[in-house]
Amino acid sequence: QVQLVESGGGLVKPGGSLRLSCAASGFTFSDHYMSWVRQAPGKGLEWLSYISYSGSIISYADSVKGRFSISRDNAKNSLYLQMNNLRAEDTAIYYCAADRREGEWLGLWHWGQGTLVSVSS
Amino acid sequence: EIVLTQSPLFLPVTPGEPATISCTSSQSLLYSNGHNYLDWYLQKPGKPPQVLIYLNSNRASGVPDRFRGSGSGTDFTLKISRVEAEDVGVYYCMQSLQTPRTFGQGTRVEF
């Protein structure tokens, strides 16, 4: 079955860095765009970034542009989010989600369980 | 950036009764291929979101047919024909026509 498992969250001080990972299984990872979405405590969903099949196309939300970097390793079926210069407002659960395939949009059709990032001194 | 506005933000429901959530976009979500790039997601308590409806009116795999998405352009609706206990949670619309993709504020559905 399809699985997305995030890891790498934790407590970090303002200005610090974290690298999140998302391990994918149960589908052809390299055929799909992948996205990161976050949810601050008690708040709604915020789309952060996506990356295309090969990594050649990347897009970011303005709130993280220049601080966060998305990448993928198709050989390892893994998605990453490098987060630098973290701020208190980055505190959230971070979800990875399986995204579009060539010529096909099914929504963000599968989500991981999320990993919690807390930014505090 | 496209802004999505949902209403209501809180929806008390009765089991077996219908329920309707609206999502209004600041720009048309209709693409030249005829599809409206508007999806609906449900986040059940303590769980990650799950897609219910994609491209305005297509039910995702395994989604019961009591869920129906409709609309076009800037005005969209999610209807539940008969609410069941498992339908409680927060419903979000999301547009994927442009980046950044954006979500509505969410509508909390509770008994």
Side-chain angles (χ1 to χ4, degrees):
Chain A
Q1 74 281 20
V2 174
Q3 274 199 307
L4 295 171
V5 180
E6 301 92 339
S7 60
L11 176 63
V12 61
K13 289 182 168 53
S17 298
L18 274 179
R19 188 194 195 207
L20 305 183
S21 299
C22 172
S25 61
F27 66 104
T28 306
F29 180 73
S30 58
D31 281 355
H32 290 266
Y33 277 52
M34 294 294 294
S35 277
W36 286 99
V37 177
R38 71 183 177 185
Q39 186 169 37
K43 302 297 185 182
L45 301 172
E46 180 187 15
W47 175 84
L48 297 180
S49 181
Y50 71 50
I51 186 169
S52 65
Y53 325 107
S54 64
S56 60
I57 299 172
I58 286 173
S59 183
Y60 296 101
D62 286 347
S63 59
V64 302
K65 199 175 295 182
R67 299 188 301 125
F68 290 12
S69 177
I70 192 172
S71 62
R72 66 190 296 162
D73 185 337
N74 287 340
K76 294 182 178 179
N77 286 345
S78 292
L79 174 71
Y80 306 101
L81 187 67
Q82 177 67 44
M83 305 187 296
N84 298 328
N85 191 20
L86 283 161
R87 307 165 179 166
E89 54 265 35
D90 295 319
T91 295
I93 297 173
Y94 285 72
Y95 298 102
C96 67
D99 204 312
R100 58 177 288 200
R101 193 164 60 174
E102 179 68 40
E104 182 179 69
W105 174 252
L106 300 177
L108 298 176
W109 58 273
H110 195 82
W111 298 61
Q113 291 298 310
T115 187
L116 177 62
V117 172
S118 296
V119 184
S120 175
S121 55
Chain B
E1 166 175 316
I2 295 176
V3 177
L4 299 180
T5 303
Q6 290 184 228
S7 63
L9 299 185
F10 177 70
L11 181 60
V13 296
T14 303
E17 294 297 306
T20 300
I21 300 169
S22 296
C23 178
T24 300
S25 176
S26 61
Q27 300 177 37
S28 176
L29 301 182
L30 179 61
Y31 189 54
S32 55
N33 61 6
H35 291 301
N36 284 279
Y37 280 77
L38 189 284
D39 307 325
W40 290 96
Y41 297 83
L42 166 60
Q43 187 172 29
K44 297 182 180 181
K47 298 292 187 183
Q50 61 186 92
V51 62
L52 294 175
I53 303 287
Y54 61 92
L55 295 177
N56 178 40
S57 60
N58 298 275
R59 276 188 300 277
S61 176
V63 174
D65 60 7
R66 64 179 180 273
F67 291 93
R68 181 171 177 265
S70 62
S72 186
T74 61
D75 295 297
F76 301 90
T77 300
L78 176 68
K79 293 183 179 178
I80 310 172
S81 59
R82 294 173 304 279
V83 176
E84 297 191 4
E86 64 184 19
D87 300 337
V88 299
V90 182
Y91 290 77
Y92 296 92
C93 54
M94 186 196 84
Q95 66 81 21
S96 55
L97 181 68
Q98 294 180 7
T99 56
R101 293 177 180 165
T102 48
F103 290 90
Q105 318 99 298
T107 295
R108 182 173 300 276
V109 172
E110 291 181 1
F111 289 124

